[in-house]
Amino acid sequence: MTASGHAGHESGHASLTVGQVARAAGVTANAIRFYERYGVISGYRNSGNARRFTADAICRVKLALAAQRVGITLKESADILAGVPSLSHDLAQWVAAGDELVRIGRVRISELQATVNALESLAFLRPGPSESRPQP
């Protein structure tokens, strides 16, 4: 968004640079730009046309990072985090977003466990009932 979309941010709220958000979230500046392109976070331009973010961008990046580790896509994280308005102090909204990420994460873990179990048994290599077995 542009400064016109966030007129009060500079004067009323913490205005963080790309580098500050990156350091606080434990990622690179390029990662911050990447998360912004995917809609996980949104920034604005200050009067000097420098890119700025509000403090909640750090939380959003950290949540998306954790979600990525269990296979949740950035799009999925962005869609879920879109339900939490910028600078929201409503803990229930943050908890609901976190709960949804956990729910999706558990589904992904279950799917991965089923895949690991199949690899362990090699059952997928055995011919199915409709497949013919090779003749010796």
Side-chain angles (χ1 to χ4, degrees):
M1 287 194 152
T2 63
S4 63
H6 290 19
H9 283 155
E10 245 185 299
S11 59
H13 303 289
S15 175
L16 304 174
T17 65
V18 170
Q20 289 170 321
V21 174
R23 278 188 297 283
V27 298
T28 66
N30 282 338
I32 295 301
R33 293 180 191 97
F34 187 73
Y35 286 124
E36 186 178 20
R37 274 193 305 276
Y38 272 88
V40 172
I41 59 174
S42 62
Y44 61 97
R45 299 257 177 211
N46 67 8
S47 59
N49 203 31
R51 201 89 193 115
R52 296 287 190 247
F53 297 89
T54 55
D56 63 311
I58 297 165
C59 295
R60 292 171 190 276
V61 169
K62 285 183 173 186
L63 281 169
L65 263 173
Q68 279 183 283
R69 288 194 289 267
V70 294
I72 297 173
T73 68
L74 287 179
K75 168 100 173 77
E76 289 170 309
S77 289
D79 289 348
I80 291 165
L81 292 170
V84 182
S86 183
L87 295 171
S88 175
H89 293 289
D90 184 350
L91 185 57
Q93 290 178 318
W94 286 100
V95 169
D99 286 348
E100 182 62 8
L101 289 168
V102 167
R103 186 193 67 74
I104 294 170
R106 288 180 199 261
V107 168
R108 297 289 157 81
I109 290 168
S110 177
E111 292 167 350
L112 286 170
Q113 187 61 58
T115 301
V116 168
N117 292 345
L119 284 170
E120 187 175 61
S121 70
L122 300 178
F124 61 92
L125 294 176
R126 295 185 194 112
S130 62
E131 296 178 45
S132 61
R133 294 185 186 255
Q135 299 297 317

